[in-house]
Amino acid sequence: MSKFLIDTNIIIYLMKGEKEVINFFETILQDENNELIFSVITVTEIFSRPISEKIKAAVNEFLALGMVIDLNQELALLTGVLRAEMYQQGRKVPKLADAVIAMTAKVTGAVLITHNVKDFSQIPDLQICDPFQAEFDEAN
């Protein structure tokens, strides 16, 4: 079983009908043991822009395929510690929303599915997959 935390930009690409993203999800959803996870931050970001009722319904249908992880005290603390450590190390500190998404992936043991590899690649021990860059390989 693999867990996949879906970043906001991937949902946007999916709703736009990007073939690479659709193919990626068709592949991972063929295995019923694979699990989709969403950060509550992603839900907030998606619904922060005006979207049609049709798109809202499609997003909600997609979200129903997985589980939304709420921001709790433990996750908030770990996110803050991550950002502080990166700051102290002189590394680029991710935006708060990105840090919460990344830490949600780390805490749940999920691979972060994003096209925004640049902003997430600085975060230590974070597994990242970009559906636009490579074929999905469950061995990785």
Side-chain angles (χ1 to χ4, degrees):
M1 175 178 86
S2 297
K3 294 180 182 180
F4 302 94
L5 189 132
I6 314 306
D7 191 18
T8 308
N9 61 52
I10 296 302
I11 296 175
I12 293 168
Y13 289 125
L14 187 62
M15 294 305 127
K16 289 181 176 181
E18 291 287 341
K19 189 155 186 68
E20 293 92 344
V21 178
I22 291 168
N23 291 341
F24 176 82
F25 283 107
E26 286 176 350
T27 300
I28 65 170
L29 291 174
Q30 285 177 1
D31 183 345
E32 62 186 39
N33 294 315
N34 287 338
E35 184 178 349
L36 299 184
I37 300 172
F38 307 95
S39 168
V40 70
I41 298 299
T42 295
V43 176
T44 302
E45 288 178 333
I46 287 291
F47 289 103
S48 291
R49 298 181 180 170
I51 55 178
S52 70
E53 290 302 316
K54 182 179 178 181
I55 296 294
K56 282 181 189 177
V59 169
N60 281 321
E61 190 175 313
F62 184 63
L63 292 173
L65 295 174
M67 176 175 41
V68 176
I69 305 295
D70 289 329
L71 180 59
N72 58 33
Q73 185 173 352
E74 176 189 12
L75 189 53
L77 176 64
L78 292 171
T79 301
V81 168
L82 169 73
R83 294 181 82 225
E85 287 174 353
M86 291 181 74
Y87 177 79
Q88 290 170 340
Q89 296 167 359
R91 299 171 82 178
K92 182 180 178 200
V93 177
K95 295 175 186 173
L96 183 58
D98 286 348
V100 171
I101 290 169
M103 190 52 69
T104 302
K106 287 177 70 169
V107 165
T108 60
V111 176
L112 176 62
I113 308 303
T114 186
H115 189 52
N116 187 11
V117 174
K118 180 183 173 190
D119 287 344
F120 287 104
S121 64
Q122 297 296 317
I123 298 172
D125 304 318
L126 179 64
Q127 297 178 65
I128 302 171
C129 177
D130 182 349
F132 289 96
Q133 295 301 315
E135 292 290 318
F136 175 67
D137 178 6
E138 285 210 59
N140 288 336

